Amino acid sequence: MDYETIAMSKDGPVGTITLNRPGALNALNEQMVKELISALDEFERDASLRCVIITGSERAFSAGADIKEMAGMTAVQMAMTGHFFPLWDRVGRFPKPIVGALSGFVLGGGLELAMSCDILVASETTQLGQPEIDIGVMPGGGGTQRLTRAVGKYKAMEMILTGKRIGAEEAKALGLVSRVVPKEAYLTEARKVASEVASRSPVAVRLAKMAVNKAFEMGLSDGIDFERELFYLLFASEDKSEGMAAFMEKRSPQFKGK
Ligand code: HXC
């Protein structure tokens, strides 16, 4: 499909979606949200694709929801069209792993999009924040929940109530991003991580992702029971036989996702 606000590319088992509204610092408007969902649908259907990267530009991953589009909207229009909200649900529930490659501004809905990914690689220039309070609203794409789970109540409150941004190193210290690298390297580093994930068993990766995400929804003993069921299930996979045989034969495994 041809897209106007994003670009899609594929390199072996790794697919990349690049947000592409440079004039608006990749602000998420209705068209971009629809195109992102459609791109994710395409990548989900593609059985050869094992890991997705979502990225923006060096200046901005995304400066959030498009304020110019939202400015004229009423509460009822917001609730009835709901055009932003399906995106965060889609990314959060996407079955294949998603690496967010962050640089520059990662703000508002842009941070909420990033926090819906699974592994976050950030350039040292990255600035993350929930500045909605500055425009008289609050996070609406999961920010109050995901940021609080990621960094704890007190830092989340400070960020959400003051709108102040934090830098990449602070985000890493808080556990909000996985790695920080020089600005020339963030995309290469994201591709490296994505390729590593893509070389593992897609079945094991999918179930492991599901189990980690359940840690945010279940109590500890239910979560451990859930993990164990998935662990048993993997013993029915060809990839488990291949992985263990390859270990014993001292060779690299060839995982098929079966
Ligand atoms: C629409 C945006 C935008 C946004 C930037 N632009 N952010 N347009 N929506 N969120 C546009 C600017 O209007 C400008 O276009 C161009 O991008 C460049 O931005 P500048 O402001 O000139 O750049 P700079 O001075 O470097 O400042 C960068 C910035 C600032 C600090 C990121 O743009 C900013 O504060 N943006 C808003 C960030 C924000 O509040 N995000 C949260 C949105 S609410 P023109 O054509 O005017 O030159 C949200 C809620 C989601 O995300 C909840 C779920 C529904």
Side-chain angles (χ1 to χ4, degrees):
M1 258 185 82
D2 283 339
Y3 297 114
E4 286 172 9
T5 63
I6 60 168
M8 259 178 108
S9 62
K10 209 182 139 186
D11 182 9
V14 177
T16 301
I17 299 174
T18 306
L19 311 186
N20 187 28
R21 291 186 74 211
L25 301 183
N26 290 329
L28 294 149
N29 64 1
E30 183 174 9
Q31 184 183 3
M32 190 189 258
V33 166
K34 284 190 175 143
E35 291 188 354
L36 269 165
I37 291 173
S38 165
L40 287 168
D41 290 345
E42 277 188 55
F43 277 161
E44 185 175 355
R45 281 194 300 270
D46 183 342
S48 69
L49 197 122
R50 294 184 177 184
C51 189
V52 174
I53 295 173
I54 299 183
T55 192
S57 67
E58 196 179 306
R59 185 165 177 224
F61 173 74
S62 168
D66 190 313
I67 300 169
K68 292 167 191 167
E69 194 176 71
M70 283 189 299
M73 287 177 78
T74 64
V76 172
Q77 280 170 333
M78 199 66 172
M80 298 307 280
T81 55
H83 65 238
F84 294 112
F85 304 108
L87 175 63
W88 293 284
D89 294 344
R90 183 70 175 108
V91 176
R93 292 178 194 281
F94 194 71
K96 299 178 189 185
I98 304 182
V99 177
L102 312 179
S103 179
F105 298 113
V106 184
L107 302 178
L111 178 53
E112 290 166 322
L113 174 62
M115 289 191 293
S116 299
C117 298
D118 303 310
I119 296 175
L120 295 178
V121 175
S123 137
E124 62 200 349
T125 62
T126 308
Q127 295 182 48
L128 308 95
Q130 298 280 177
E132 291 89 341
I133 209 82
D134 294 337
I135 54 169
V137 289
M138 60 178 273
T144 59
Q145 307 304 301
R146 287 206 169 92
L147 187 63
T148 306
R149 281 166 169 77
V151 305
K153 170 179 167 180
Y154 303 102
K155 195 68 200 182
M157 282 287 190
E158 187 187 328
M159 289 174 70
I160 290 168
L161 302 187
T162 69
K164 290 231 163 62
R165 307 196 281 262
I166 59 169
E169 285 298 343
E170 186 175 358
K172 188 175 148 208
L174 289 165
L176 185 54
V177 299
S178 325
R179 307 183 179 188
V180 178
V181 294
K183 71 175 190 309
E184 306 73 33
Y186 75 98
L187 209 45
T188 323
E189 187 74 7
R191 289 193 186 115
K192 205 165 90 189
V193 182
S195 301
E196 280 172 28
V197 173
S199 71
R200 269 57 179 187
S201 159
V203 192
V205 164
R206 179 178 295 219
L207 299 195
K209 169 175 168 165
M210 251 165 98
V212 173
N213 278 334
K214 282 288 181 212
F216 295 102
E217 290 164 19
M218 286 178 156
L220 182 61
S221 60
D222 286 344
I224 287 172
D225 288 347
F226 182 72
E227 176 193 85
R228 199 151 303 156
E229 296 297 326
L230 299 185
F231 185 74
Y232 296 148
L233 192 58
L234 287 175
F235 277 66
S237 72
E238 287 179 25
D239 282 354
K240 172 260 174 188
S241 308
E242 167 62 8
M244 294 195 183
F247 173 80
M248 289 184 292
E249 291 159 20
K250 300 188 188 297
R251 62 176 174 82
S252 299
Q254 297 298 314
F255 293 120
K256 298 194 181 115
K258 291 185 180 168

